[in-house]
Amino acid sequence: MPFLVTAVVLIAVLCLLNLLLTFGVIRKLRAQADEKADRVADGLVIPAGSAVPGFSAVTTAGERITREGLGETMLGFFSPDCRACKERLPLFVEQARTTARATGRSVLAVVHGTDEAREQVAALSEVAHVVVEPGDGPLGEAFDITGYPVFGLITVDGTLSATAFDPGRLSATSKATV
């Protein structure tokens, strides 16, 4: 009987050790996934720390937007035929609401497409200045967009201070730069 109790205790200790190691591995994998997502965003848009080139575009409301007139801005680029864009659109809308209320930062959303972009434009118009343009439009060219979705923060002096593949990743950066 003492051998059986010892074996059960030993197995329980090994199971707990296995559980702790599994949690450690999961934590490491999540950290690596976050780092990878940041590297992916760096390849989709001009690098963080770069000065945003000058541009001029017209919003769906008829407002003229220029780099000089933006000030502090949260921005997002979307494409209507992009599955990841559809998944991240609600996150961006919520992040835009929170950012605008908390920091006073303006929000700019750029949708590359035409008629098929109506749903995205409708959702984004509630919280952002929305520009609809072809893929080679002035904002796409200025930010050197190569993929979607991509999100960023622009400082008052016109520098792209942060980029991300997920709008939720901008929240920590926006708190640090405010």
Side-chain angles (χ1 to χ4, degrees):
M1 187 70 174
F3 295 113
L4 184 61
V5 170
T6 304
V8 168
V9 168
L10 182 61
I11 289 173
V13 168
L14 287 174
C15 286
L16 286 174
L17 180 63
N18 185 31
L19 185 64
L20 287 173
L21 290 173
T22 301
F23 282 137
V25 168
I26 290 171
R27 199 167 138 216
K28 273 279 203 213
L29 288 173
R30 284 186 179 161
Q32 286 176 348
D34 288 344
E35 289 172 14
K36 183 179 178 184
D38 289 342
R39 285 193 305 269
V40 167
D42 286 343
L44 299 177
V45 65
I46 60 175
S50 300
V52 176
F55 62 84
S56 178
V58 178
T59 68
T60 55
E63 302 170 81
R64 180 155 299 281
I65 301 280
T66 63
R67 184 191 72 102
E68 294 77 22
L70 282 181
E72 286 191 64
T73 304
M74 176 181 171
L75 70 117
F77 285 88
F78 299 90
S79 175
D81 57 351
C82 162
R83 192 177 86 211
C85 295
K86 291 175 184 168
E87 292 171 0
R88 288 178 176 80
L89 181 65
L91 298 171
F92 180 78
V93 169
E94 184 56 38
Q95 187 69 31
R97 266 194 198 102
T98 305
T99 298
R101 270 194 305 246
T103 66
R105 217 182 274 263
S106 65
V107 180
L108 174 64
V110 181
V111 180
H112 287 159
T114 52
D115 292 337
E116 68 272 7
R118 276 190 219 122
E119 289 179 25
Q120 287 179 328
V121 170
L124 291 165
S125 294
E126 299 173 14
V127 295
H129 301 287
V130 180
V131 175
V132 178
E133 65 178 21
D136 60 349
L139 286 162
E141 291 290 319
F143 286 92
D144 196 23
I145 299 300
T146 59
Y148 306 96
V150 67
F151 308 96
L153 296 174
I154 301 174
T155 61
V156 174
D157 66 353
T159 302
L160 187 64
S161 64
T163 62
F165 187 63
D166 179 3
R169 303 269 303 151
L170 292 176
S171 63
T173 308
S174 80
K175 288 175 188 163
T177 59
V178 170

